Amino acid sequence: MIGTVLSDRYRLESKLGSGGMSTVYLAIDETLDRPVAVKLLHAEISDQPDQLERFRREARSAARLSHPNLVGVIDAGQDGGRPYIVFEYVPGETLKHRISEEGGLPVDEAVAYAIEIGRGLSAAHGRKLIHRDIKPQNVL
């Protein structure tokens, strides 16, 4: 998929991560000349109506959120029958990478992360949304 341009706009540069439903890529928004993160539904499930609706619901729900501790949705679309969501790209490492490189965090630092994660989740919960995949890989 690297090098693919979705909707004549988002050029996939490198893979950032992958899960059961989708893969996230670092991409370049060729219209605005900026990096973005593109979450692309896996091809093998992109024709399943229930998975398509779940993915689209995620895009709509995430787009309703705006908070400094949450990654913002920029766009959503479909290319070649595969839906995608475009997110703000946040450079840096994941919490998982940090822990695997440095080991356990000092208590004060772990508490600081927990507070910031809690603030983001509180904003989502305030909009009646529940994040069902909280893990160190998803914390930047």
Side-chain angles (χ1 to χ4, degrees):
M1 292 298 302
I2 304 304
T4 300
V5 179
L6 302 176
S7 300
D8 295 322
R9 181 169 183 177
Y10 304 108
R11 182 173 24 90
L12 305 182
E13 294 286 304
S14 62
K15 181 177 166 182
L16 295 174
S18 188
M21 280 187 64
S22 59
T23 300
V24 179
Y25 296 91
L26 170 61
I28 298 298
D29 177 341
E30 294 186 334
T31 300
L32 299 176
D33 191 28
R34 66 176 176 176
V36 294
V38 174
K39 185 174 191 175
L40 184 64
L41 190 66
H42 291 316
E44 58 271 12
I45 62 172
S46 63
D47 62 349
Q48 298 175 15
D50 60 327
Q51 296 299 328
L52 274 171
E53 180 52 33
R54 181 177 171 194
F55 194 77
R56 289 180 179 136
R57 193 171 46 246
E58 175 187 346
R60 289 189 302 269
S61 296
R64 294 193 335 238
L65 299 174
S66 178
H67 188 274
N69 294 41
L70 300 173
V71 176
V73 172
I74 295 169
D75 192 12
Q78 189 166 313
D79 186 272
R82 291 184 62 190
Y84 60 85
I85 307 169
V86 181
F87 292 92
E88 157 191 16
Y89 173 68
V90 178
E93 64 185 358
T94 65
L95 182 57
K96 179 181 180 174
H97 182 262
R98 174 105 189 260
I99 292 169
S100 64
E101 290 292 312
E102 298 179 22
L105 301 174
V107 172
D108 60 336
E109 193 173 338
V111 168
Y113 276 110
I115 289 169
E116 297 304 316
I117 293 165
R119 287 179 176 153
L121 290 173
S122 180
H125 292 173
R127 300 293 308 251
K128 308 288 189 227
L129 298 174
I130 297 172
H131 193 302
R132 292 190 170 103
D133 200 19
I134 304 301
K135 58 188 177 186
Q137 297 91 309
N138 290 341
V139 175
L140 303 172

